[in-house]
Amino acid sequence: DQLLAIAAALLLFGLPGWAISRLLELHLRLPIVALPAAWGALGLAAWTAVLLPAFALGVSIGVTTAVHVAVTIVLLAWSRLRDRSRGHAKSPLEAVSGWTVAVIGLVTLAALVLRTRIAFDSLFHVGLVRRIAQLDSPTFDNLDRVVGAGINPAYALPTWQAAMAAVVRVTGLDAATVVEAMAVIGVLLAACAAGALGRVVSGSIAGEIAGVSAYAWLRVVFPRRELEGDGVAYASLPGNLVLDVLLPVALVVAVLLMRGPARRDGALVALGAVCTVLLVVMHANYVVYLAVIGLGVAGWLLAAGPWNRRVRRRLALALTTFGVPGLVSLAAVL
């Protein structure tokens, strides 16, 4: 059952993300280890674009999933035609380390094998997934956590919970089984994002290995002291996906934008904007982490330098990439 849920999620949200990544040629700018996390973010962005009007109109999750599949087919065909007409450029970046692949494989296997009871925050998310999957016409008005109280503002548009509900409808599995299975995908993408962040910050394979190893130790091997459980128990929840996947990918984009070169900045800007909007959509109050880091780096550069024309231009581009979509999406949620 778990493997079926994982396969369904990878097909539903990995394929459109892969197609968009090919269209943007992100493999020419991102470290290879970052690509799976980028595919996940872009796939969720495509899903969110379909989900927003569906919730506004009260369309069932089954119909919404069918529309998403149709969009995915269009994206795959478009990327295929693009490759045929223009060719597919090979990435100039050094391949991912074998040690990195081994650590990612081990933590993913650990997430698949480990079993932790569903409790605390997980119960709310299981309930929301089940509610979305079972309602004939899910809307913004009938997804209340408590009837009449209004939905949790952090989940005003429950993109990830609705994605898990789509897996429930496609596979016929119980919502609790799907939520538990998605922890494997969460750990996989988070390990890739951590390795990518280590790679771009250090500029070396050693940094990549250090990044993925640090994630493996701190979030999977070492038991978490909050709530009862380990890093796997809550890896499928939106808040963990925001902090472990979207935030590191956003920081990877920021470092690459600051470092240059200017070619293909558009693809990085698009990925950074997607990560920021998803961060707000999936767990709105966690946007403060990105804001603190961004403003902190800007302040540090202002105080310590260098502060030449190139730095000003790159910093302005990075701040715009995250600030504009972040403020717009946060205002929409509020």
Side-chain angles (χ1 to χ4, degrees):
D1 288 350
Q2 301 252 329
L3 292 175
L4 176 61
I6 293 167
L10 290 175
L11 290 173
L12 281 174
F13 308 109
L15 280 180
W18 175 83
I20 297 171
S21 176
R22 296 272 289 198
L23 291 169
L24 294 174
E25 296 187 326
L26 277 170
H27 62 284
L28 300 181
R29 287 299 305 270
L30 289 177
I32 295 174
V33 70
L35 290 176
W39 298 339
L42 293 170
L44 275 180
W47 168 251
T48 303
V50 173
L51 187 67
L52 183 60
F55 270 5
L57 298 173
V59 178
S60 72
I61 199 67
V63 174
T64 305
T65 304
V67 173
H68 175 71
V69 170
V71 171
T72 299
I73 292 172
V74 171
L75 288 170
L76 289 171
W78 185 11
S79 66
R80 180 64 176 167
L81 291 173
R82 168 91 172 265
D83 285 348
R84 280 188 173 184
S85 62
R86 297 177 53 178
H88 179 62
K90 298 296 183 182
S91 172
L93 304 174
E94 191 173 353
V96 61
S97 166
W99 287 104
T100 302
V101 174
V103 175
I104 292 174
L106 286 174
V107 296
T108 304
L109 181 62
L112 183 62
V113 172
L114 288 174
R115 289 290 179 267
T116 51
R117 67 190 182 93
I118 293 181
F120 299 104
D121 284 14
S122 300
L123 293 173
F124 163 69
H125 294 285
V126 169
L128 186 53
V129 170
R130 185 170 289 134
R131 190 176 181 88
I132 295 172
Q134 293 179 355
L135 283 171
D136 292 330
S137 300
T139 67
F140 295 106
D141 295 327
N142 62 13
L143 292 178
D144 295 21
R145 181 175 183 176
V146 178
V147 174
I151 194 169
N152 184 332
Y155 312 118
L157 178 60
T159 287
W160 180 239
Q161 295 92 334
M164 290 190 283
V167 175
V168 169
R169 290 294 293 267
V170 168
T171 61
L173 298 172
D174 183 74
T177 302
V178 172
V179 170
E180 187 179 4
M182 291 305 101
V184 179
I185 292 179
V187 168
L188 169 63
L189 298 184
C192 292
L197 185 57
R199 178 67 176 269
V200 300
V201 168
S202 68
S204 67
I205 288 290
E208 176 184 287
I209 299 171
V212 71
S213 299
Y215 170 79
W217 172 251
L218 293 171
R219 300 294 273 169
V220 178
V221 178
F222 188 80
R224 292 178 61 192
R225 300 306 182 189
E226 66 175 77
L227 294 181
E228 289 187 356
D230 50 68
V232 176
Y234 305 101
S236 62
L237 303 190
N240 283 49
L241 288 169
V242 163
L243 293 180
D244 292 349
V245 181
L246 295 177
L247 182 59
V249 173
L251 295 178
V252 167
V253 171
V255 172
L256 292 175
L257 286 176
M258 287 299 299
R259 186 173 292 165
R263 63 179 181 275
R264 294 191 178 84
D265 276 347
L268 290 178
V269 169
L271 179 60
V274 162
C275 287
T276 306
V277 172
L278 285 177
L279 193 154
V280 173
V281 167
M282 290 174 63
H283 212 290
N285 51 316
Y286 281 3
V287 74
V288 68
Y289 293 107
L290 186 59
V292 166
I293 294 171
L295 295 176
V297 170
W300 176 75
L301 285 173
L302 180 62
W307 195 249
N308 53 39
R309 182 179 179 183
R310 178 184 177 279
V311 171
R312 289 196 300 269
R313 292 177 64 180
R314 304 305 295 184
L315 182 59
L317 176 62
L319 292 177
T320 303
T321 297
F322 302 106
V324 172
L327 290 173
V328 170
S329 54
L330 188 59
V333 168
L334 293 175

